[in-house]
Amino acid sequence: MVTSPDTQRANRIPPGQSQTHKWPVLDASGTPPIDMAKWRLDLFGLIGKEVSLTWEEFLALPRTQVLADFHCVTRWSRLDNTWSGVSVATLLELAGGVKPEAKFVSALGYDFGWTTNLPLADFLAADALVAIEHDGELLTPEHGAPARLIVPQLYAWKSAKWLGGLEFLAEDRAGFWERNGYHMHGDPWKEERFGY
Ligand SMILES: Nc1nc2c(c(=O)[nH]1)N[C@H]1C(S)=C(S)[C@@H](COP(=O)(O)O)O[C@H]1N2
Ligand SMILES: [Mo]
C-alpha cells in the first residue's frame, strides 16, 4: 500500500475546505455510456511508444493500492480513501517512458471530450494511479467506472473520471475547467483554485 504524503500531516484539511464523510458526485455533463468491448486506455504524445490497452489488457496489469485524501475545489474533503488500480509508473513502463520534452499531461474522459491538464511532475507522484476500486468496491459509473485517474495531491477535478486517454505534452494545454478559470496546477494546500 502506498500512503499519500498528505495523510501524514497534523492537520489533514487544507485551507478553505471542510471534511465530508459522504462522497459527492461532481461532473460537467453526467455519466457517459461506455461500451466495454470498445473501451481503450490510450497513452500517446511524447512517450517512447504509443499504447492502446483493451479492458482485458488493463486488468492483467499489476495492481497497486493507495491510501489518500480527496479534496474538491467546491470545498469538501474526503479523507482516507483506499484506491486500487494500476500505478502511472506501470503504465509508463509499457509506453517506454516519457520523452525528455514531455512536461505536461492531458487526461481525456469518455464524457464527450472532457479533459484536464496537469504537470508531468504531479502526474508522476508515487500515489498517482488509474483506479478501478474505491474502499474495496468497484467504482460506480457516476464516480468514473470503469477506470479513473487519481492524483491525490491536486484538487479532485484533475482526477479524470471515465479515463480514456493520457496525452504527454511539451506545453501545458488547458482542459475543460482550466479554460473556464480553474487553476492550471491546483494544489489544495496553496488554494490554487482559480487562475494560474
Ligand atoms: N471525465 C471527467 N472527470 C471528472 C469530471 C468531469 O466532469 N469529467 N469532474 C471532475 C470534478 S470537478 C471533480 S470534483 C471530481 C469529482 O469526482 P467524484 O464525482 O467521484 O466525487 O471528478 C473530476 N473528474
Ligand atoms: Mo470539482
Side-chain angles (χ1 to χ4, degrees), residues 83-105:
W83 305 100
S84 171
V86 177
S87 71
V88 299
T90 297
L91 291 171
L92 278 174
E93 229 173 89
L94 290 174
V98 292
K99 295 197 170 149
E101 315 88 84
K103 296 284 183 272
F104 299 92
V105 180

Side-chain angles (χ1 to χ4, degrees), residues 56-111:
E56 289 67 32
E57 289 166 340
F58 182 80
L59 285 181
L61 297 175
R63 298 280 169 84
T64 184
Q65 277 204 333
V66 172
L67 177 70
D69 302 337
F70 195 59
H71 307 295
C72 177
V73 73
T74 61
R75 299 186 182 273
W76 53 265
S77 291
R78 193 180 190 285
L79 304 187
D80 291 320
N81 302 276
T82 302
W83 305 100
S84 171
V86 177
S87 71
V88 299
T90 297
L91 291 171
L92 278 174
E93 229 173 89
L94 290 174
V98 292
K99 295 197 170 149
E101 315 88 84
K103 296 284 183 272
F104 299 92
V105 180
S106 172
L108 175 66
Y110 273 95
D111 46 341

Side-chain angles (χ1 to χ4, degrees), residues 47-61:
I47 49 176
K49 64 170 196 283
E50 299 200 344
V51 174
S52 182
L53 296 166
T54 65
W55 183 238
E56 289 67 32
E57 289 166 340
F58 182 80
L59 285 181
L61 297 175

Side-chain angles (χ1 to χ4, degrees), residues 23-30 70-74 76 83 108-111 114-115 142-144 148 155-163 176-177 182:
W23 188 13
V25 171
L26 273 166
D27 44 62
S29 50
F70 195 59
H71 307 295
C72 177
V73 73
T74 61
W76 53 265
W83 305 100
L108 175 66
Y110 273 95
D111 46 341
W114 188 94
T115 61
E142 66 271 21
H143 284 299
R148 77 178 295 172
Y155 280 122
W157 90 80
K158 304 284 185 180
S159 289
K161 305 200 275 191
W162 315 295
L163 187 68
F176 178 84
W177 287 119
Y182 280 39

